[in-house]
């Protein structure tokens, strides 16, 4: 297993032995992370983000449109779930049996460019980085906030097989090098740990935990699907059981012939039909097993689980039979902690092109995850000039309908 890291450093303030980050934090009056019965619910202690990089087609996954024209509804039929009136794509038969554990937001949208990089930053930070401010990943910020900003817990990032290991929006940004996630390139191997840079104390602690883990049992790997994504989901579960505050798993296979969501339908990209034989079964097996295990251990009640992507895909099939980038409307799943399960929030129009009810922004998704962990929307971060800024876009509020 390779361990990747970043080399960002912060200069000390002359004569005080104080890092720039510590100096800035001294002037930030951030409200404390709330605990106990915050907002009428018990906050979760962990978050688990599953990032489906590439952008799954929402009509082919979580928002089927069986009454739409053939060039819109695509190749898959809707499948009834264990919640009356809730349907998802037939490519997720096992996930359908757990719909009571998660809710689907079908009206997520953003107004940024239809580029992977832009959407990945937005959905994973709740911020658009147009002003060049490096906003932190949700997992990094959550770990920092729950560590009171002084002794930050560390976030773990399982990088999948994407080029370069990670995607935009997955760093600590303005929080500094000590809050960077421990980046793990694992697959099925949790015994080979190599560090490219010196680790922080928090990273070293989690790294020792990973190294000390026994190899995953073959029976467990088979339950999770014996795929790269399945092995990473299994390790994510074990890291949460070991106390990790935040874990992110990338489903970002970029090798030709491997599971992929970027279904343009022309070489080298797959078509939506490929979801049936590759990406769909890989995700379905790993995610459903993860929900089962977290629920059985009681950890689901302490962990916010989010299934994210940078955008959806165009409602009408293109000439090769694929779908192109579509940030105007797509779906996100939330589960665990105080998040209600078995609900549909928002709706797309008849073609799945635009939100028709309860539009939701990436900032509101981020605010919901933070709030579910007891981190209030007004929590502030230090900017480089020493001024405080809200964790998410000003005015973005958590989705109250999904919080218990």
């Amino acid at each position: 297993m390779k361990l990747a890291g970043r080399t960002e450093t912060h200069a000390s303030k002359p004569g005080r032995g104080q890092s720039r980050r510590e100096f800035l934090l001294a002037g930030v009056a951030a409200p404390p992370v709330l605990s106990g019965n915050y907002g009428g619910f018990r906050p979760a202690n962990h978050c688990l983000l599953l990032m489906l990089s590439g952008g799954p087609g929402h009509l082919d996954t979580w928002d089927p449109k069986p009454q739409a024209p053939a060039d819109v509804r695509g190749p898959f039929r809707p499948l009834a779930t264990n919640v009356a009136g809730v349907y998802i794509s037939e490519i997720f038969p096992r996930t359908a049996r757990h719909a009571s554990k998660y809710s689907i937001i079908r009206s997520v949208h953003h107004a940024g460019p239809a580029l992977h990089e832009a959407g990945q930053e937005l959905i994973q930070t709740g911020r658009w980085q147009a002003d060049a401010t490096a906003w932190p990943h949700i997992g990094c910020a959550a770990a920092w906030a729950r560590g009171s900003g002084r002794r930050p817990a560390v976030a773990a990032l399982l990088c999948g097989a994407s080029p370069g290991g990670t995607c935009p929006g997955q760093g600590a940004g303005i929080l500094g090098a000590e809050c960077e996630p421990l980046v793990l390139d694992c697959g099925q191997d949790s015994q080979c740990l190599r560090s490219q840079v010196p680790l922080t104390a928090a990273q070293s602690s989690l790294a020792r935990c990973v190294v000390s883990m026994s190899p995953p049992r073959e029976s467990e790997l088979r339950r999770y699907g014996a795929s790269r994504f399945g092995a990473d989901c299994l390790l994510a579960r074990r890291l949460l059981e070991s106390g990790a505050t935040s874990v992110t798993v990338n489903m970002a296979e970029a090798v030709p012939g491997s599971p992929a969501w970027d279904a343009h339908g022309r070489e080298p990209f797959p078509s939506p039909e490929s979801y049936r034989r590759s990406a769909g079964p890989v995700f379905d097996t790993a995610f459903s097993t993860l929900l089962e295990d977290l629920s059985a251990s009681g950890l689901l009640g302490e962990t916010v689980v989010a299934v994210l992507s940078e955008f959806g895909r165009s409602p009408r099939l293109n000439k090769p039979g694929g779908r192109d980038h579509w940030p105007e409307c797509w779906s996100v799943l939330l589960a665990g902690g105080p998040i209600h399960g078995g609900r549909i929030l928002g709706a797309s129009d008849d073609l799945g092109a635009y939100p028709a009810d309860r539009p939701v922004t990436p900032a509101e998704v981020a605010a919901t995850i933070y709030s579910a962990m007891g981190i209030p929307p007004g929590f502030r971060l230090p900017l480089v000039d020493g001024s405080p800024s809200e964790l998410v876009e000003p005015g973005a509020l958590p989705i109250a309908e999904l919080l218990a």
Side-chain angles (χ1 to χ4, degrees):
M1 175 172 57
K2 296 183 297 181
L3 181 95
R6 296 172 175 81
T7 58
E8 179 184 357
T9 60
H10 294 262
S12 296
K13 186 172 177 62
R16 293 185 59 184
Q18 184 182 40
S19 73
R20 178 173 179 80
R21 175 177 171 273
E22 289 171 337
F23 172 69
L24 295 176
L25 282 173
V28 178
V33 176
L34 303 180
S35 59
N37 192 27
Y38 163 57
F41 57 80
R42 180 174 175 268
N45 294 318
H46 316 273
C47 66
L48 171 59
L49 310 181
L50 306 179
M51 182 63 192
L52 309 189
S53 295
H58 51 294
L59 281 78
D60 302 310
T61 53
W62 312 115
D63 192 9
K65 301 287 184 183
Q67 305 305 319
D71 66 338
V72 171
R73 67 175 180 263
F76 307 121
R77 296 174 296 177
L79 178 66
T81 70
N82 70 334
V83 175
V86 175
Y87 293 80
I88 61 175
S89 172
E90 64 179 331
I91 66 174
F92 299 137
R94 290 186 53 174
T95 301
R97 298 199 291 268
H98 295 283
S100 57
K101 296 184 177 72
Y102 56 82
S103 287
I104 306 173
I105 308 171
R106 286 179 170 166
S107 54
V108 183
H109 69 100
H110 76 71
L115 301 174
H116 292 290
E117 296 82 0
Q120 288 165 352
E121 287 181 358
L122 278 163
I123 198 66
Q124 294 184 103
T125 68
R127 287 277 196 164
W128 173 236
Q129 300 185 15
D131 62 356
T133 298
W135 299 104
H137 181 260
I138 292 171
C140 296
W144 176 78
R146 293 189 65 87
S148 301
R150 302 299 182 186
R151 294 183 178 178
V154 68
L157 177 64
L158 305 178
C159 67
S162 57
T166 64
C167 63
Q170 293 190 334
I174 59 174
L175 291 180
E178 62 267 47
C179 293
E180 288 289 351
L182 183 69
V183 183
L184 305 172
D185 185 2
C186 306
Q188 300 180 12
D189 178 12
S190 62
Q191 296 301 295
C192 177
L193 186 68
R194 290 191 292 120
S195 173
Q196 297 178 359
V197 296
L199 300 181
T200 67
Q203 289 173 330
S204 296
S205 176
L206 186 58
R208 287 193 297 271
C209 173
V210 174
V211 171
S212 66
M213 286 182 177
S214 59
R217 297 192 300 271
E218 284 298 324
S219 59
E220 278 195 304
L221 287 169
R222 285 195 299 271
R223 289 182 60 242
Y224 279 80
S227 65
R228 174 60 181 268
F229 179 67
D232 282 351
C233 283
L234 172 57
L235 179 56
R237 190 207 80 198
R238 299 177 77 188
L239 289 170
L240 292 170
E241 291 169 345
S242 299
T245 299
S246 172
V247 183
T248 299
V249 178
N250 280 329
M251 185 176 179
E253 300 277 352
V255 180
S258 64
W261 298 108
D262 200 7
H264 290 282
R266 55 184 178 273
E267 292 293 338
F269 302 99
S271 69
E273 176 60 41
S274 72
Y275 291 179
R276 188 192 305 274
R277 63 180 180 273
S278 58
V282 166
F283 176 83
D284 187 48
T285 300
F287 181 59
S288 59
T289 304
L290 186 61
L291 287 178
E292 290 166 4
D293 287 356
L294 293 177
S295 181
S297 68
L299 196 53
L300 186 61
E302 301 177 20
T303 307
V304 180
V305 180
V307 179
L308 307 173
S309 63
E310 61 266 45
F311 42 54
R313 306 205 75 82
S314 53
R316 292 194 182 277
L317 297 171
N318 58 27
K319 287 185 178 180
R323 301 189 193 270
D324 298 314
H325 301 176
W326 195 259
E328 285 85 352
C329 191
W330 79 99
S331 300
V332 160
L333 268 64
L334 294 179
I339 301 291
H340 284 296
R343 297 188 178 185
I344 299 293
L345 184 97
S348 61
D349 61 22
D350 290 344
L351 300 181
Y354 303 98
D357 177 62
R358 187 61 166 91
V360 171
T361 65
E364 291 172 304
V365 173
T368 304
I369 296 171
Y370 287 134
S371 291
M373 297 184 71
I375 304 167
F379 202 97
R380 295 186 172 191
L381 297 173
L383 296 179
V384 292
D385 63 1
S387 63
S389 179
E390 294 180 27
L391 192 56
V392 297
E393 292 287 350
L397 298 176
I399 302 168
E401 302 96 312
L402 295 183
L403 294 169

